[in-house]
């Protein structure tokens, strides 16, 4: 391999691609003695100490800085790993590194909680502090290989030879933690001595320990893997340490499983390289489309405002023209009236003439002249008595009220692209129909509508075809006719002023294996009003531990039987395949859920069968000597027991047709599961089989054969305090408001 090629790749992977995985998130440099936090993120040893706000500088850190392991010409060997572990253990418990003259009483209060820069969670290191953290030797080896590739052909020199005769190293001893040339190696590892048995490798500066030691038991090697804490442990941790009650597996098994998973994931990523390239092409196309659409949006905005300006300008010109015409007309009328009154002032000669006519004594001559004169004087007199302006000087009819238009213009939103909504997983439910809810950001502006899109996954791959609903004006939408037992992805986006928000993060739901079966709790068939409380909607039933139950508590502990209070659905199933879901409150003492035939219900309600505490119930999933013999191959009922925050998988007889999602059903530990938040039940009447699911993940927890000789009903049995609430989607079509 050429120098340039070695510089450019490690195992065929470009250095620049690997380097970002080898950078400490704190110091932004290559990892130096990284430690693994409980959250599985790695941080440099010195960075952990800085996060703990320590002021003491131990000799190891000083030595590591002086040795400069990252320098290609470093001749100082790396410090002893055993010495590092001693320093870490001696200082980790107290949150500091011991040094000569240091007194425990003088240290400031310990800080054992640090923020992880990877996941932003607070990590509590406990009383042992740093000493509880494993060193990430695998990451150290990769960093060292990266450094060697970066240094390319620069040789590692012998630590024994002295300049100027110093030779290039050909071997590195993992026990001596030093590198040697051929002659020095023979001199310091002579045949026939214990040193001849030392382990040596090619020249390297990474002297890691041969084995990983337990941080809690310093002399013990880790040989098991705790599945609960997800970390290696030793046999002492399992026998009497902090992992005594945890489920552990052998290191070889964990190695095999994790290696297969990692290899499978890597293979998947490699196999999807063409898909990644296609998606990159799609993203580049989206960038181009974004640029084009942005320019198009600018042009459209300019066009809208230009049309708005043109309309306003036209209306302005029209109004000004009307005002001008009205003003000219009124001025003409008023000027004409002024001229008339000016003429009245000029009639003073008429008055003098009339006075002279009055002096006429000849009657016939007076009448002849005075008649016409009287008409003229009477007209002038009437004008003075009834004065009215010829035009109104007020232009009130041209006063505009533009308040509404101004409000509309001010309400025009120019806030840019609206924020994407978020799908509300807690309220969304998916059956053969999907009810999807979403919520907007708290400071969002009003939106016009929303669009919900969905698509189906086929063979673990998305079909690529998104289907959209009509415009939605509320915070939810219903999608109909979904295929059973299928994966569907959903996303939603908002629209405001013709501008769409980005899509919400996609969420995936698994549809049930059958259509939803709608029913309510029956308040007629065997319902005990004394011990069971049914709400008005008949979708919730609650059992309260009464005095009789409390008095029988001592007898229950010895196996004395008390009765279950049964309640069923008001609708039965006589054919087909149906699914329903409900929630059992975690505080419930014991609740049995499943299906039962009408014949079995008559037996229960008329001749109540006694039962006991879950310990002695043959169908509860607890260990019982009689449990295996009590279960027949097929019965007209199947009930699963839930209570006290757990779900109990029944132990069936060897001849029964039963399967579970767990490991060996003979292991009691595998038959007790955490109670799911919601439980789903699927009855295949034609196949005479019933299934129980975790309704949130649609993982099948348990299934078995059931005798469907009659009408089958959803059945529930409660003992002690307990509460069962049907899923709203199951009851929605049954309730009337």
């Amino acid at each position: 391999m050429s120098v340039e090629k070695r510089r450019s790749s490690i195992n065929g992977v470009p250095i620049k691609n690997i380097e970002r995985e080898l950078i400490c998130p704190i110091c932004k440099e290559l990892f130096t003695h990284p430690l693994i936090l409980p959250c599985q993120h790695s941080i440099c040893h010195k960075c952990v100490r800085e996060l703990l706000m320590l002021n003491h500088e131990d000799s190891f850190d000083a030595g590591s800085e002086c040795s400069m392991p990252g320098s290609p010409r470093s001749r100082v060997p790396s410090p002893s790993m055993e010495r590092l572990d001693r320093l870490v253990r001696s200082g980790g418990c107290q949150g500091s590194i011991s040094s000569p003259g240091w007194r425990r009483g003088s240290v400031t209060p310990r800080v054992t909680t640090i923020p992880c820069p990877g996941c932003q969670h607070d990590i509590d290191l406990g009383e042992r502090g740093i000493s509880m953290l494993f060193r990430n030797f695998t990451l150290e080896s990769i960093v060292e290989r990266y450094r060697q590739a970066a240094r390319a052909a620069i040789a590692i020199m012998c630590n024994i030879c002295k300049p100027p005769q110093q030779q290039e190293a050909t071997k590195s001893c993992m026990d001596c933690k030093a590198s040697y040339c051929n002659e020095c190696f023979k001199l310091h590892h002579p045949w026939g001595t214990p040193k001849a048995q030392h382990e040596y490798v090619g020249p390297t500066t990474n002297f890691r320990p041969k084995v990983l030691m337990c941080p809690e038991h310093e002399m013990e090697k880790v040989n098991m893997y705790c599945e609960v804490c997800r970390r290696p442990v030793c046999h002492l941790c399992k026998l009497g340490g902090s992992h005594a009650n945890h489920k552990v597996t052998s290191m070889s098994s964990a190695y095999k499983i994790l290696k297969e998973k990692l290899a499978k994931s890597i293979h998947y990523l490699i196999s999807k390289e063409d898909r990644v390239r296609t998606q990159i092409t799609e993203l580049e196309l989206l960038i181009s489309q974004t640029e084009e659409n942005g320019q198009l949006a600018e042009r459209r905005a300019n066009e809208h405002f230009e049309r708005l300006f043109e309309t306003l300008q036209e209306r302005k010109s029209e109004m000004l023209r009307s005002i001008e015409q009205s003003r000219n007309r009124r001025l003409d009328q008023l000027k004409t009236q002024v001229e008339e009154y000016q003429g009245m002032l000029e009639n003073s000669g008429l008055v003098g003439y009339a006075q002279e006519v009055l002096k006429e004594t000849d009657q016939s001559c007076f009448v002849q002249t005075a008649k016409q004169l009287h008409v003229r004087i009477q007209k002038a007199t009437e004008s003075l008595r009834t004065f009215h302006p010829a035009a109104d000087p007020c232009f009130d009819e041209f006063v505009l009220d533009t308040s509404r238009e101004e409000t509309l213009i001010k309400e025009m939103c120019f806030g840019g692209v609206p924020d994407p909504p978020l799908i509300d997983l807690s309220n969304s439910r998916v059956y053969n129909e999907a009810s999807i809810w979403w919520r907007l950001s708290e400071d969002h502006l009003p939106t016009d509508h929303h669009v919900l899109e969905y698509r189906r996954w086929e063979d673990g791959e998305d079909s690529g075809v998104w289907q959209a609903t009509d415009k939605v004006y509320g915070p939810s939408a219903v999608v109909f006719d979904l295929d059973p037992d299928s994966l569907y992805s959903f996303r939603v986006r908002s629209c405001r002023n013709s501008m769409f928000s980005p899509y919400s993060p996609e969420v995936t739901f698994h549809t049930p294996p059958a259509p939803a079966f709608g029913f309510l709790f029956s308040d007629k068939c065997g319902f005990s009003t004394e011990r069971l409380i049914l709400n008005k909607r008949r979708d919730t039933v609650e059992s309260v531990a009464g005095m009789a139950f409390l008095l029988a508590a001592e007898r229950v502990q010895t196996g004395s039987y008390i009765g279950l209070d049964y309640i069923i659905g008001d609708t039965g199933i006589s054919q087909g395949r149906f699914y329903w879901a409900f929630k059992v409150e975690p505080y419930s003492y014991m609740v049995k859920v499943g299906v039962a035939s009408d014949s079995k219900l008559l037996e229960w309600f008329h001749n109540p069968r006694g039962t006991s505490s879950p310990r002695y119930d043959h169908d509860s999933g607890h260990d019982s000597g009689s449990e295996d013999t009590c279960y027949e191959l097929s019965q007209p009922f199947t009930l699963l027991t839930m209570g006290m925050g757990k779900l109990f998988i029944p132990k069936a007889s060897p001849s029964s047709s039963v399967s579970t999602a767990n490991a060996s059903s003979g292991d009691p530990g595998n038959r007790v599961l955490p109670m799911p938040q919601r439980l789903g039940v699927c009855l295949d009447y034609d196949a005479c089989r019933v299934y129980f699911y975790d309704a949130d993940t649609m993982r099948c927890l348990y299934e078995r054969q059931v005798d469907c000789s009659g009408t089958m009903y959803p059945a529930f049995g409660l003992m002690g305090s307990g509460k069962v609430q049907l899923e709203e989607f199951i009851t929605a079509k049954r309730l009337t408001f």
Side-chain angles (χ1 to χ4, degrees), residues 18 158 171 182 210 270 291 457 493 511 517 551 659:
I18 295 180
C158 177
K171 298 180 180 67
N182 286 332
K210 299 178 182 179
I270 295 175
E291 182 67 26
W457 289 66
R493 60 176 178 172
T511 58
F517 179 60
L551 293 176
S659 63

Side-chain angles (χ1 to χ4, degrees), residues 133-288:
L133 303 179
F134 282 106
R135 287 183 60 192
N136 195 338
F137 292 117
T138 302
L139 182 56
E140 283 190 31
S141 300
I142 297 175
V143 170
E144 179 59 27
R145 290 199 296 269
Y146 171 81
R147 286 193 172 115
Q148 291 181 5
R151 291 194 294 265
I154 299 178
I156 298 176
M157 308 305 294
C158 177
N159 298 135
I160 306 301
C161 299
K162 303 299 180 183
Q165 289 82 22
Q166 189 176 21
Q167 301 294 319
E168 181 178 340
T170 58
K171 298 180 180 67
S172 293
C173 179
M174 302 304 293
D175 295 278
C176 299
K177 308 292 190 298
S179 299
Y180 303 88
C181 63
N182 286 332
E183 297 300 326
C184 292
F185 185 80
K186 294 177 182 179
L187 180 64
H188 288 79
H189 298 77
W191 289 101
T193 63
K195 286 190 174 182
Q197 305 300 321
H198 286 185
E199 178 186 359
Y200 64 90
V201 295
T204 183
T205 58
N206 182 31
F207 300 100
R208 57 178 287 183
K210 299 178 182 179
V211 294
L212 196 62
M213 308 301 292
C214 177
E216 295 188 27
H217 308 92
E218 301 179 5
M219 303 305 296
E220 299 295 331
K221 302 176 182 178
V222 294
N223 53 7
M224 291 180 287
Y225 182 78
C226 178
E227 295 184 356
V228 178
C229 303
R230 296 186 298 177
R231 61 178 297 174
V233 296
C234 69
H235 69 283
L236 293 181
C237 294
K238 174 59 179 174
L239 291 177
S242 58
H243 305 269
N245 297 323
H246 294 178
K247 184 178 180 180
V248 299
T249 185
S250 64
M251 187 62 70
S252 59
S253 176
Y255 169 80
K256 181 179 179 181
I257 293 174
L258 292 176
K259 189 172 184 179
E260 288 178 355
K261 288 183 178 180
L262 182 59
K264 185 177 180 180
S265 299
I266 293 175
H267 176 72
Y268 178 82
L269 289 176
I270 295 175
S271 65
K272 299 300 180 182
E273 182 177 352
D274 293 339
R275 181 178 178 182
V276 173
R277 295 184 185 278
T278 302
Q279 292 174 345
I280 292 176
T281 303
E282 293 178 358
L283 291 174
E284 292 176 347
L285 178 60
L286 289 177
I287 292 175
S288 176

Side-chain angles (χ1 to χ4, degrees), residues 166-460:
Q166 189 176 21
Q167 301 294 319
E168 181 178 340
T170 58
K171 298 180 180 67
S172 293
C173 179
M174 302 304 293
D175 295 278
C176 299
K177 308 292 190 298
S179 299
Y180 303 88
C181 63
N182 286 332
E183 297 300 326
C184 292
F185 185 80
K186 294 177 182 179
L187 180 64
H188 288 79
H189 298 77
W191 289 101
T193 63
K195 286 190 174 182
Q197 305 300 321
H198 286 185
E199 178 186 359
Y200 64 90
V201 295
T204 183
T205 58
N206 182 31
F207 300 100
R208 57 178 287 183
K210 299 178 182 179
V211 294
L212 196 62
M213 308 301 292
C214 177
E216 295 188 27
H217 308 92
E218 301 179 5
M219 303 305 296
E220 299 295 331
K221 302 176 182 178
V222 294
N223 53 7
M224 291 180 287
Y225 182 78
C226 178
E227 295 184 356
V228 178
C229 303
R230 296 186 298 177
R231 61 178 297 174
V233 296
C234 69
H235 69 283
L236 293 181
C237 294
K238 174 59 179 174
L239 291 177
S242 58
H243 305 269
N245 297 323
H246 294 178
K247 184 178 180 180
V248 299
T249 185
S250 64
M251 187 62 70
S252 59
S253 176
Y255 169 80
K256 181 179 179 181
I257 293 174
L258 292 176
K259 189 172 184 179
E260 288 178 355
K261 288 183 178 180
L262 182 59
K264 185 177 180 180
S265 299
I266 293 175
H267 176 72
Y268 178 82
L269 289 176
I270 295 175
S271 65
K272 299 300 180 182
E273 182 177 352
D274 293 339
R275 181 178 178 182
V276 173
R277 295 184 185 278
T278 302
Q279 292 174 345
I280 292 176
T281 303
E282 293 178 358
L283 291 174
E284 292 176 347
L285 178 60
L286 289 177
I287 292 175
S288 176
Q289 292 177 349
T290 301
E291 182 67 26
E292 294 177 359
N293 292 339
Q295 296 176 356
L296 177 61
E298 290 180 357
R299 291 196 300 269
R300 289 179 176 176
N302 285 329
E303 292 174 359
H304 284 305
F305 278 99
E306 287 176 359
R307 286 198 298 269
L308 184 60
F309 294 153
E310 290 176 359
T311 302
L312 289 175
Q313 189 65 36
E314 290 177 0
R315 299 296 295 166
K316 175 184 175 182
S317 300
E318 181 179 347
M319 187 172 185
L320 294 178
R321 184 168 55 252
S322 298
I323 293 174
E324 183 180 5
Q325 292 175 355
S326 178
R327 182 189 61 190
N328 293 336
R329 183 177 63 255
R330 297 182 190 190
L331 289 176
D332 291 342
Q333 293 174 349
L334 291 173
K335 288 179 179 179
T336 300
Q337 192 174 18
V338 168
E339 291 177 356
E340 291 179 356
Y341 278 81
Q342 286 289 347
M344 293 175 60
L345 294 179
E346 296 174 356
N347 286 337
S348 58
L350 177 62
V351 173
Y353 173 68
Q355 290 176 346
E356 291 299 326
V357 171
L358 288 174
K359 297 177 181 180
E360 178 63 44
T361 57
D362 188 341
Q363 294 179 354
S364 58
C365 292
F366 175 80
V367 171
Q368 181 183 9
T369 304
K371 182 176 179 60
Q372 183 181 7
L373 181 60
H374 180 264
V375 172
R376 292 177 59 189
I377 293 177
Q378 188 177 18
K379 184 183 295 187
T381 303
E382 290 177 356
S383 298
L384 292 174
R385 291 176 180 175
T386 59
F387 174 74
H388 293 287
D392 187 358
C394 184
F395 284 75
D396 291 339
E397 66 271 25
F398 293 100
V399 175
L400 288 178
D401 182 9
T402 59
S403 57
R404 185 172 63 89
E405 289 76 9
E406 291 176 1
T407 301
L408 291 176
I409 293 176
K410 290 179 180 179
E411 289 180 352
M412 294 177 64
C413 297
F414 305 107
V417 179
D419 295 331
L422 292 177
I423 294 180
D424 188 352
L425 297 178
S426 60
N427 290 325
S428 298
R429 296 290 182 265
V430 175
Y431 293 87
N432 51 309
E433 299 176 3
S435 175
I436 306 299
W437 290 74
W438 55 85
R439 58 180 183 270
L440 305 176
S441 59
E442 296 180 356
D443 56 348
H444 76 283
L445 296 173
T447 55
D448 298 334
H449 64 272
H450 311 278
V451 176
L452 177 67
E453 297 184 359
Y454 63 98
R455 63 180 175 184
R456 182 176 180 270
W457 289 66
E458 298 179 359
D459 300 327

Side-chain angles (χ1 to χ4, degrees), residues 86-99:
R86 277 200 312 274
L87 289 169
V88 170
R89 292 192 179 99
S90 65
C93 300
Q94 302 297 331
S96 61
I97 300 298
S98 299
S99 59

Side-chain angles (χ1 to χ4, degrees), residues 592 609-622 624 626-628 630-631 635 637 641 650-651 671:
K592 285 179 170 295
R609 179 180 179 179
T611 186
S612 67
S613 67
R615 174 67 184 174
Y616 295 91
D617 181 23
H618 80 273
D619 193 21
S620 67
H622 288 268
S624 173
S626 63
E627 186 177 83
D628 292 341
C630 289
Y631 240 154
Q635 298 184 5
F637 74 98
T641 304
K651 182 196 292 183
R671 293 170 46 236

